[in-house]
């Protein structure tokens, strides 16, 4: 990879992140775009959040985590099988989709320590999202999010980041109940 002295730090970050997506996905044909909208995947197109010019470390870590999440989905997800097995009800579908994303992320996190750290940064940011940070009971969190968090702990063995809301309210000592 060539480094150019006239390339801005923002452009360098975007170029390196795009290359990392292709490498982790094992898919050189992947196209990575940066947008103000939510991250997502469509075919082999990965959309990531547009980073700010200031490049604060937390934002960079989250960008890298979103990039890794997309790359892992491309690498380990079988869309045809997923579509065939996906339940028809909206709540069940949301849970099924959330757990599938956790599954592909856990596969990558177990194999690549840097990916695991990037995904942890995204999880910490997710726990701070408005509406979720004040959750005190399971009724305060959508069922798909509760199941996603429980699956994440089960698949990775990692608890939610410190200070984040937990699937059934604040943790106390002892096992979750």
């Amino acid at each position: 990879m060539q480094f150019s002295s006239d390339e801005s730090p923002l452009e360098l970050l975007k170029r390196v992140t795009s290359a990392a997506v292709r490498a982790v996905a094992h898919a050189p044909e992947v196209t990575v775009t940066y947008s103000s909208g939510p991250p997502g995947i469509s075919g082999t197109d990965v959309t990531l959040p547009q980073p700010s010019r200031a490049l604060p470390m937390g934002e960079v870590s989250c960008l890298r985590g979103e990039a890794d999440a997309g790359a892992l989905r491309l690498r380990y997800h079988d869309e045809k099988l997923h579509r065939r097995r996906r339940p028809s009800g909206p709540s069940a579908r949301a849970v099924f989709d959330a757990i599938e994303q956790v599954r592909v992320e856990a596969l990558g996190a177990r194999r690549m320590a840097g990916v695991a750290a990037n995904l942890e940064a995204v999880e910490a940011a997710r726990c701070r999202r408005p509406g979720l940070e004040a959750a005190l009971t399971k009724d305060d969190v959508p069922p798909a999010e509760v199941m996603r968090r429980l699956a994440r702990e089960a698949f990775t063995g990692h608890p939610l980041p410190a200070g984040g809301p937990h699937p059934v309210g604040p943790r106390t000592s002892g096992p979750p109940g």
Side-chain angles (χ1 to χ4, degrees):
M1 185 174 288
Q2 289 290 106
F3 293 99
S4 169
S5 61
D6 59 342
E7 187 172 41
S8 74
L10 178 61
E11 290 305 313
L12 177 61
L13 172 67
K14 289 165 70 173
R15 187 165 57 87
V16 169
T17 300
S18 298
V21 168
R22 290 183 199 90
V24 170
H26 287 194
E29 73 282 0
V30 170
T31 302
V32 180
T33 56
Y34 297 86
S35 164
S36 60
I41 299 173
S42 177
T44 59
D45 295 337
V46 176
T47 302
L48 297 173
Q50 176 68 43
S52 66
R53 288 206 169 295
L55 298 176
M57 198 57 193
E59 182 183 316
V60 171
S61 295
C62 284
L63 173 67
R64 292 171 57 189
E66 292 289 358
D68 289 342
L72 293 169
R73 180 134 184 135
L74 291 172
R75 182 170 178 179
Y76 295 120
H77 177 71
D78 182 334
E79 185 59 33
K80 192 174 173 182
L81 177 63
H82 187 77
R83 246 192 329 266
R84 196 168 63 237
R85 302 275 187 191
R86 194 174 190 206
S88 59
S91 290
R93 271 185 119 136
V95 169
F96 188 78
D97 293 346
I99 291 174
E100 170 61 0
Q101 186 60 36
V102 170
R103 182 189 74 80
V104 300
E105 290 176 13
L107 288 170
R110 287 181 178 176
R111 291 177 170 100
M112 298 171 266
V115 166
N118 295 341
L119 294 171
E120 283 293 314
V122 171
E123 188 63 30
R126 185 178 281 132
C127 286
R128 291 188 304 268
R129 271 195 309 217
L132 290 181
E133 66 185 349
L136 296 176
T137 70
K138 64 182 177 183
D139 296 329
D140 295 334
V141 182
E145 183 64 13
V146 171
M147 295 305 295
R148 187 193 67 75
R149 290 173 182 206
L150 292 171
R152 181 186 171 280
E153 279 194 58
F155 293 172
T156 66
H158 295 209
L160 286 171
H166 297 280
V168 290
R171 288 270 170 107
T172 58
S173 61

